[in-house]
Amino acid sequence: MIIERIDSYRWRVPKHGGMRTEALIFADEGLMRDLAGDAAVQQLANVAHLPGIVGPAIAMPDIHWGYGFPIGGVAAFDEESGVVSPGGVGYDINCGVRLLATPIKIQDARPRLAELMDRLYGAIPSGVGAARSDLRLDVRELNRVLQHGARWAVERGYGDDADLEAIEANGALADAEPDCVSTRAKERGRDQLGTVGSGNHFVEVGYVAELYDDRVADRLGLGPGTVTVFIHSGSRGLGYQVCDDYLDTMIEATAKYGITLPDRQLCCAPIGSPEGRRYWGAMNAAANYAFANRQLMAHHARRAIATLFGEQTAERTRLVYDVCHNIAKHETHELAGRPRRVCVHRKGATRAFPPGHLELAPRFRDIGQPVLIPGDMGRYSYVLVGTERAFTETFGSTCHGAGRRLSRHKAKELARSRNVVKELEARGILVRAASRATVDEEIPEAYKDVATVVDVVDAAGIGRKVAQIKPVGVVKG
Amino acid sequence: MPYRFLPHTADVAVELTASSEPGLYQAGLDALRELLVGTSPAVPAEERPIERRGADATERLIHFLGDALYLYDTERFVPVRVSPSGIYGQRFDPARHAAVREVKAVTHHGARVEVDDAGYRATIIFDV
């Protein structure tokens, strides 16, 4: 495959074969070297074959192999002639991240850190089969969650209206259709609301270690040394099952609508078809479940903070922002000088809207949308803001994380003779985990250095660095 | 061993070998159980029905393992042995079993069942 260099951070795969458009990769030389021979680039070129794709098929610097679409991919489709694809969203629908900023300074938190981690571990169920004993939803109530997302949680006292302003889409997608979610999916998700899950999901306590834009950081409540809480999770078993259910539907729809694909995993349906519309309703409902899930976890994190640092401290713990990593959305973007409605698939990519965008709450209009980029549990994470350049070049999108470099098997081998929990503790990072296997598979070396990824998007102008956050404690599944 | 984990960066790939289609299901079930609860001992105490569905052997295998995963996710039913109408297994027992990892799905990606003189061979990728 021919890959042409455009500039220091942009690479192009020219249109060839059945590609309807070119592919655009954001990466520096080192990341491109790592990508050589990786199936992810071929997957990106495959996405460019899909009907109705507009603009290039785009890869972020954290691109890696995914199911059909690569992870770290963005693709937009014309609303009339385009398609919607579950593979372009992923199994964990609206997997995402939220960040809380506390009024606590790191030096005041350190003496009570072990206790804080214990309280968080106790308050937010993690690991396989984690369920909340204090929340049992019947089907009617679960349908309300699927319809109203984070608002459902706020109306029941889990957070306040200010939280909703700081969530992508205000924490509720209007196109949700709970009736399009199967009974099986509802069964899988019924007792998992408010739980973190396992794998790469986590709750992480950190502090603001470095600032790149003092003014914006201050506006987001991220002063130097501020203690933060990152929450990374998604739609749990409910979302996985929605994806699984609709892959079967879409495999049939692909044949029914005569869509030719280079890879069966790109199965899709026209956006306006009955199959496309049903997936859309179910996917939006699962996304709302994920918003409510993270809202509940944030509430319980605040309660843990309240028990140790007092009610006032918990009340002053603000939601910085909550972003989706795996989602498809109808948005208006400018193409060939004209506004056009498109369906943007972001899979392992983050929306990064610029200052002035009307979808942002007034308090973010002059700074742009906060973008949260978690790294591995040993190094650092970043807060960025969206840019005009992201809006014009990448359908308002940027990267989402570090991306794995080692398989889980390799990571476990590497960790076998070590005590990763002790090692991290020696570096000032306390780990609370349900399973040693998860910790071993998630060792920091299993991931790329997220700084490399973030530096590329910052240098390319599709995201702007605001702050670096270093971990001091992590709850893993 | 009728199953063998293969290198895969993001997820878990497994190769299954057997002399028959039900044997392939058994190998897949054994691999799935190892992913879910490691090598903790499990016994075939109860049966759960699983309807065999799918247009070909590959689809049938994916659906079979997907249904076993659903039973684990919703009932904590640890799969042990394939039966003519479903699977035998037991409820997760914290005293005997370790909950090792969450498996999101049994994917269609790269899934294939091949049959030749040597028997049945399949590759399956679990999204974890």
Side-chain angles (χ1 to χ4, degrees):
Chain A
M1 189 188 311
I2 296 167
I3 301 178
E4 296 170 354
R5 183 175 193 154
I6 301 171
D7 61 25
S8 302
Y9 304 105
R10 287 169 183 77
W11 309 72
R12 173 195 294 127
V13 179
K15 210 167 120 177
H16 65 275
M19 286 170 75
R20 294 167 196 257
T21 184
E22 64 179 18
L24 174 66
I25 303 168
F26 286 83
D28 62 14
E29 263 184 58
L31 289 166
M32 281 311 287
R33 252 196 315 275
D34 293 346
L35 270 177
D38 195 297
V41 177
Q42 183 59 53
Q43 286 192 314
L44 184 70
N46 290 346
V47 171
H49 288 69
L50 290 173
I53 187 165
V54 292
I58 301 164
M60 295 299 158
D62 47 339
I63 180 180
H64 55 282
W65 182 92
Y67 182 92
F69 283 58
I71 294 166
V74 178
F77 298 88
D78 181 77
E79 284 192 342
E80 299 296 320
S81 61
V83 291
V84 61
S85 171
V89 173
Y91 273 100
D92 194 357
I93 296 166
N94 189 6
C95 180
V97 187
R98 68 166 48 195
L99 179 68
L100 302 168
T102 75
I104 311 164
K105 292 294 175 196
I106 184 62
Q107 61 271 23
D108 301 324
R110 283 223 191 261
R112 311 187 75 178
L113 190 59
E115 217 178 333
L116 177 60
M117 295 316 298
D118 290 340
R119 301 265 170 119
L120 285 170
Y121 187 62
I124 303 173
S126 61
V128 185
R132 292 211 72 88
S133 55
D134 56 350
L135 185 70
R136 287 288 299 172
L137 301 173
D138 59 23
V139 174
R140 190 186 294 184
E141 199 63 7
L142 180 59
N143 283 341
R144 290 192 185 115
V145 173
L146 298 177
Q147 193 74 64
H148 303 294
R151 175 161 292 286
W152 171 88
V154 167
E155 283 173 357
R156 275 146 193 82
Y158 304 114
D160 57 36
D161 282 346
D163 290 346
L164 300 179
E165 280 183 9
I167 305 175
E168 186 169 331
N170 299 122
L173 294 164
D175 292 346
E177 296 282 355
D179 288 348
C180 295
V181 177
S182 70
T183 304
R184 191 172 254 234
K186 288 175 185 173
E187 274 303 309
R188 272 183 89 173
R190 204 150 74 119
D191 62 356
Q192 293 183 334
L193 198 69
T195 66
V196 71
S198 72
N200 62 353
H201 294 160
F202 59 77
V203 177
E204 185 178 284
V205 176
Y207 69 97
V208 178
E210 202 170 335
L211 296 181
Y212 309 101
D213 185 327
D214 293 14
R215 181 186 71 92
V216 173
D218 184 59
R219 284 284 302 283
L220 297 175
L222 298 172
T226 295
V227 170
T228 58
V229 182
F230 255 114
I231 295 170
H232 178 207
S233 188
S235 48
R236 311 285 287 109
L238 184 138
Y240 313 155
Q241 191 64 43
V242 165
C243 180
D244 212 33
D245 292 341
Y246 280 91
L247 282 169
D248 287 342
T249 307
M250 293 300 187
I251 286 170
E252 285 173 21
T254 303
K256 178 179 164 186
Y257 295 104
I259 300 168
T260 313
L261 298 174
D263 176 359
R264 194 181 186 206
Q265 323 315 317
L266 296 172
C267 61
C268 54
I271 292 170
S273 68
E275 295 87 350
R277 284 207 301 267
R278 283 190 66 77
Y279 171 67
W280 191 258
M283 185 267 291
N284 278 275
N288 284 346
Y289 179 99
F291 283 134
N293 186 34
R294 294 195 290 272
Q295 184 66 30
L296 242 73
M297 286 190 277
H299 165 79
H300 290 289
R302 281 177 173 139
R303 296 321 306 151
I305 288 167
T307 58
L308 270 184
F309 297 95
E311 286 293 341
Q312 273 200 337
T313 303
E315 277 168 24
R316 288 169 56 215
T317 295
R318 311 306 302 170
L319 177 57
V320 176
Y321 211 73
D322 178 307
V323 290
C324 315
H325 284 163
N326 287 354
I327 196 86
K329 285 168 126 182
H330 290 292
E331 294 171 357
T332 303
H333 289 272
E334 202 171 287
L335 286 145
R338 287 194 189 152
R340 188 161 160 193
R341 291 289 289 172
V342 291
C343 175
V344 182
H345 290 59
R346 295 189 183 96
K347 181 184 186 182
T350 315
R351 196 187 74 172
F353 278 180
H357 196 284
L358 292 177
E359 267 197 43
L360 302 180
R363 64 176 145 133
F364 302 116
R365 290 259 173 88
D366 62 329
I367 58 174
Q369 179 212 306
V371 173
L372 314 169
I373 311 294
D376 60 75
M377 62 180 164
R379 284 177 274 194
Y380 28 64
S381 300
Y382 288 89
V383 178
L384 287 76
V385 279
T387 62
E388 197 54 50
R389 190 140 191 197
F391 202 66
T392 53
E393 272 195 54
T394 57
F395 296 99
S397 315
T398 196
C399 64
H400 89 303
R404 285 192 81 90
R405 53 177 280 272
L406 296 183
S407 71
R408 289 165 203 280
H409 183 71
K410 278 248 170 66
K412 261 173 93 169
E413 265 181 7
L414 206 62
R416 185 164 294 148
S417 57
R418 293 160 46 182
N419 186 331
V420 179
V421 172
K422 279 239 160 72
E423 280 177 26
L424 286 167
E425 202 173 314
R427 290 162 58 182
I429 301 162
L430 304 183
V431 180
R432 300 289 182 269
S435 139
R436 176 181 169 166
T438 304
V439 175
D440 287 356
E441 288 176 4
E442 292 287 310
I443 49 170
E445 302 96 299
Y447 285 88
K448 293 177 197 160
D449 183 350
V450 73
T452 317
V453 171
V454 164
D455 284 345
V456 168
V457 299
D458 185 86
I462 57 167
R464 198 162 59 75
K465 286 201 291 187
V466 173
Q468 184 199 61
I469 291 172
K470 285 195 169 165
V472 292
V474 61
V475 173
K476 294 289 290 183
Chain B
M1 183 100 76
Y3 66 92
R4 183 169 70 96
F5 291 107
L6 306 172
H8 192 283
T9 307
D11 293 308
V12 174
V14 64
E15 183 187 65
L16 312 173
T17 48
S19 57
S20 64
E21 196 171 323
L24 215 49
Y25 296 170
Q26 184 63 56
L29 216 55
D30 291 339
L32 178 63
R33 187 179 61 253
E34 183 175 331
L35 288 176
L36 295 171
V37 299
T39 50
S40 341
V43 293
E46 303 169 52
E47 191 180 18
R48 294 284 185 279
I50 289 181
E51 189 193 334
R52 305 274 164 89
R53 58 201 165 90
D56 54 35
T58 305
E59 288 299 309
R60 285 193 294 275
L61 177 63
I62 291 170
H63 285 307
F64 178 80
L65 294 175
D67 287 353
L69 175 61
Y70 173 75
L71 288 170
Y72 180 74
D73 227 26
T74 52
E75 295 185 31
R76 289 282 157 269
F77 188 76
V78 179
V80 177
R81 203 171 70 207
V82 176
S83 72
S85 55
I87 54 172
Y88 279 99
Q90 71 169 121
R91 294 287 287 254
F92 183 89
D93 175 359
R96 296 167 66 108
H97 303 127
V100 173
R101 87 164 48 66
E102 190 170 66
V103 175
K104 291 179 190 168
V106 183
T107 76
H108 294 258
H109 190 90
R112 63 176 181 276
V113 173
E114 291 164 346
V115 191
D116 58 24
D117 292 346
Y120 285 71
R121 183 182 296 274
T123 309
I124 291 287
I125 295 176
F126 295 97
D127 192 317
V128 296

